Amino acid sequence: MSPETANLEEIVAQVPPARGVVEPLPPVNAEGEQLLEISMGPHHPSTHGVFRMNVVLEGEQVVRLKPVFGYLHRNHEKIAENAAYLAAIPYTDRLDYLCSMTNNWGYALAVEKLAGIGVPERAEYIRVIVAELTRLQNHASLIGFLMQDMGMSGTPLMYAFREREKILDLFESLSGARMMCNYMRFGGVRVDTSAEWLRQVRELNGEFPRFLDEFESLLAGNEILMGRAQGVGVLSPELAVSSGASGPMLRASGVNYDVRKVDGYGVYDRFSFRVPLGDHGDVYDRYMMRVLEMRESVKILEQAVRDIPAGPIMDPKARLRGLRPKAGEAYGRIESPKGELGFYLISDGTGNPYRYRVRPPSLINLTVLEDMCLGRGVADVVVILGSVDIVLGEVDR
């Protein structure tokens, strides 16, 4: 072997292997036995959209779980930074396509703080009414989907969608759209409600408790629900708080925190309602949170429709087109049906935000999915994920 060849071999031996070339070893347990790694999604019906979970199993038991998302990324935040403040409202509709009304409100609240815009009383009441109607249809739909994830028939979902259709009809008659409502504006709302529309809300709200009673009698003591939900996917209060979880998921773990009570944004401080809390933090408690919160929404709606004042629906000083807030920053947050939805804005004095950032409850609530699934069966993963209540438009943005 020539000296040149020997020198070349020494150089090659010192070069580290190329990254990504060596295949990772299959996972093993403490005894060295190989574990099964499966990929659930991104088109599995239980993943509620284009969402994937890489799950490592020892037999049927989950020993590791990694959520994988990004399939639905639409560059929402960067688009909003290159558009006028008003132009971003339709994008918020598409964050959580079940809850466009509350999405609008969270963003409008942030811009109003940033620009110092007031909101007339009548508009505040209208915002509460459409937000609580949104909460009703979101929670009813979530329960219907959760029952399907447990393997029940489609009956609960059809009952839920029957009520949801009534609410979407109200949204359509008010805003012109059933789902992408594009309804709220900085300083108020786009169009006023009619007396007939308020009468229909009052009628729907009066009938909703009967639906809830029927729904509970059908489900609360159901053997399938109790067997698949009680003691499954437990989230401790300490982990819920430290992970930043919010909404029904946080309250199911017994943590008394609701942005409507803490901040009293809008006119929520004028309404009497309680914050339901769970005892165990399992899937069953998360199911019951939705039922109990719907009952509280009915109470809020009754008070709001009864007490709504006459008057303007827009602040006459509000400037929508050509809005240029002074340089500064603001964070507006609301209690959306899925948890704390926040918008962080930085203004540099121009006509579009310098920085636009969304705090999505679906994404943050997902961070504890592995903790809730460890030690459970692979079939429980589907149910636990369903109880979190995610929408991929909000997770990926």
Side-chain angles (χ1 to χ4, degrees), residues 102 105 131-132 135 246-248 251 257-261 265 268 293 333-341:
T102 48
W105 195 358
E132 294 309 314
R135 202 175 313 277
S246 59
R251 294 187 286 274
Y257 190 87
D258 188 311
V259 180
R260 293 173 296 177
K261 289 285 191 181
Y265 63 92
Y268 273 112
E293 286 192 7
R333 64 176 186 167
I334 63 163
E335 183 67 37
S336 85
K338 293 176 173 61
E340 180 184 329
L341 172 64

Side-chain angles (χ1 to χ4, degrees), residues 28-45:
V28 295
N29 62 12
E31 288 75 32
E33 299 169 335
Q34 186 174 335
L35 303 177
L36 176 64
E37 187 170 5
I38 63 173
S39 179
M40 298 180 66
H43 299 298
H44 193 283

Side-chain angles (χ1 to χ4, degrees), residues 42-250:
H43 299 298
H44 193 283
S46 72
T47 58
H48 299 268
V50 279
F51 172 65
R52 180 160 63 95
M53 294 175 286
N54 287 338
V55 187
V56 177
L57 301 172
E58 184 171 6
E60 280 278 319
Q61 193 176 73
V62 176
V63 295
R64 197 155 66 240
L65 185 148
K66 178 184 177 183
V68 182
F69 33 79
Y71 299 98
L72 202 61
H73 180 58
R74 290 164 295 171
N75 210 20
H76 175 154
E77 294 168 341
K78 189 54 66 177
I79 289 173
E81 289 172 8
N82 291 277
Y85 285 90
L86 182 63
I89 290 181
Y91 292 110
T92 68
D93 286 341
R94 290 152 177 81
L95 271 174
D96 177 354
Y97 30 81
L98 288 173
C99 305
S100 69
M101 290 289 195
T102 48
N103 301 343
N104 287 178
W105 195 358
Y107 176 57
L109 194 63
V111 175
E112 286 157 3
K113 285 184 175 182
L114 188 65
I117 299 172
V119 182
E121 276 202 353
R122 182 173 177 85
E124 293 282 24
Y125 275 80
I126 294 173
R127 287 180 174 187
V128 169
I129 291 170
V130 296
E132 294 309 314
L133 287 172
T134 299
R135 202 175 313 277
L136 290 180
Q137 59 96 8
N138 179 86
H139 285 358
S141 300
L142 178 277
I143 293 173
F145 285 125
L146 181 60
M147 297 307 113
Q148 278 206 319
D149 289 344
M150 291 183 184
M152 293 188 188
S153 70
T155 302
L157 182 60
M158 291 302 102
Y159 280 173
F161 267 45
R162 180 191 64 189
E163 302 305 310
R164 179 173 180 255
E165 284 299 305
K166 298 174 184 177
I167 295 173
L168 295 187
D169 286 344
L170 286 171
F171 287 169
E172 184 177 20
S173 65
L174 178 63
S175 70
R178 291 164 56 80
M179 294 178 66
M180 310 305 172
C181 298
N182 186 21
Y183 177 63
M184 297 192 190
R185 293 292 182 266
F186 317 135
V189 293
R190 181 158 51 86
V191 293
D192 200 356
T193 59
S194 65
E196 172 61 19
W197 190 85
L198 291 172
R199 185 198 65 78
Q200 292 175 7
V201 172
R202 191 180 298 111
E203 181 179 341
L204 180 146
N205 195 55
E207 295 172 353
F208 209 86
R210 179 182 175 183
F211 158 70
L212 290 175
D213 292 341
E214 292 176 349
F215 220 32
E216 270 203 271
S217 63
L218 175 68
L219 298 175
N222 184 283
E223 292 183 3
I224 297 176
L225 172 60
M226 296 172 71
R228 296 294 307 277
Q230 290 185 335
V232 175
V234 175
L235 177 63
S236 69
E238 296 78 17
L239 181 56
V241 171
S242 63
S243 66
S246 59
M249 191 166 162
L250 176 67

Side-chain angles (χ1 to χ4, degrees), residues 334-367:
I334 63 163
E335 183 67 37
S336 85
K338 293 176 173 61
E340 180 184 329
L341 172 64
F343 290 83
Y344 173 64
L345 302 173
I346 297 178
S347 170
D348 58 0
T350 63
N352 51 281
Y354 173 77
R355 186 69 177 98
Y356 176 109
R357 179 76 171 90
V358 182
R359 191 262 187 214
S362 291
L363 172 64
I364 294 172
N365 289 347
L366 263 182
T367 59

Side-chain angles (χ1 to χ4, degrees), residues 8-17:
L8 179 61
E9 289 181 348
E10 291 176 4
I11 294 173
V12 171
Q14 294 173 7
V15 175

